[in-house]
Structures are given as C-alpha cells and as structure tokens.
Amino acid sequence: MNAEMLKGHLDNILLAALRTGPAHGYGLIEVLRQRSGGHFDLPEGTVYPALHRLELAGLVESNWEQSPNGRRRRVYILTRKGSTSLDQRQSDWTKFAEAISHCLSEDKLCHS
C-alpha cells in the first residue's frame, strides 16, 4: 500500500487501536498489521513519534510497566479526550470516504 495514502490517517488508526485497551508501541504495530490484513506494516520510527504527538495533545497517556520478561516498556492508554476526538474523526472519515467513493465511481457525478 502506498505510504502517502496513510499520511493524515496514522493518528486515527492509532487512536482506534487504543480504544480496545492499553497497549505498548510494538503491540500497536502488530494490531494494525493484523487489522489491515498486513497492509500496514509500520516502522517503529513512524509509530513512536505519532504516539508522542498524541500524548502531547492529551489524546493518549502513557505509563511505564514491567513486561513479563522483566523489561520496562511504555504502555499507552486512550484518554477521555482521545475517545471523544476519535468519535469525531470516525464521523468525519465516514463522510470523507463516502465523498471519495462517489467521486471515484464512474456511474455517479462528483459535485463540489
């Protein structure tokens, strides 16, 4: 999948992945890979800066936890503000996707 198509949507899919519960960065990468049928195989260098940006915006929080193997890892949690933002983003996305679909369809006219 073209990486350019994902730009602008990374925050949305990270927030959506956190809606199911807390997760560490690598776990989020795996969830997104699975949910996308392998189309989103995101590098850590893309995901961690996005998580940091979401944290600065107050949409996610993070805490250090001890993993089963004894290593510390940062776990991210969707905040109430993040959940509200995700609801709005999903609504906006649905409208946007419908408009794009209509514009790409040969049997429908695209009106601005």
Side-chain angles (χ1 to χ4, degrees), residues 10-38:
L10 179 59
D11 291 359
N12 296 347
I13 63 174
L14 286 170
L15 292 172
L18 285 169
R19 179 164 270 168
T20 60
H24 56 89
Y26 185 75
L28 288 168
I29 291 169
E30 286 299 311
V31 165
L32 295 176
R33 182 180 299 129
Q34 290 172 359
R35 285 187 184 178
S36 70

Side-chain angles (χ1 to χ4, degrees), residues 90-108:
Q90 286 179 317
S91 175
D92 292 345
W93 169 252
T94 299
K95 293 172 190 169
F96 177 76
E98 279 182 9
I100 291 292
S101 181
H102 287 295
C103 288
L104 294 177
S105 177
E106 290 183 27
D107 59 337
K108 296 179 184 174

Side-chain angles (χ1 to χ4, degrees), residues 22-103:
H24 56 89
Y26 185 75
L28 288 168
I29 291 169
E30 286 299 311
V31 165
L32 295 176
R33 182 180 299 129
Q34 290 172 359
R35 285 187 184 178
S36 70
H39 291 287
F40 298 155
D41 189 12
L42 304 172
E44 292 177 16
T46 297
V47 172
Y48 286 105
L51 288 168
H52 183 67
R53 182 176 56 252
L54 292 170
E55 189 169 19
L56 288 175
L59 303 178
V60 302
E61 294 176 345
S62 68
N63 299 301
W64 286 102
E65 291 186 359
Q66 199 83 9
S67 71
N69 66 4
R71 296 181 62 197
R72 285 177 21 116
R73 62 185 178 189
R74 189 173 290 274
V75 175
Y76 297 89
I77 303 159
L78 186 66
T79 64
R80 179 173 286 147
K81 180 180 176 182
S83 181
T84 300
S85 177
L86 178 57
D87 289 342
Q88 183 60 53
R89 290 165 184 244
Q90 286 179 317
S91 175
D92 292 345
W93 169 252
T94 299
K95 293 172 190 169
F96 177 76
E98 279 182 9
I100 291 292
S101 181
H102 287 295
C103 288

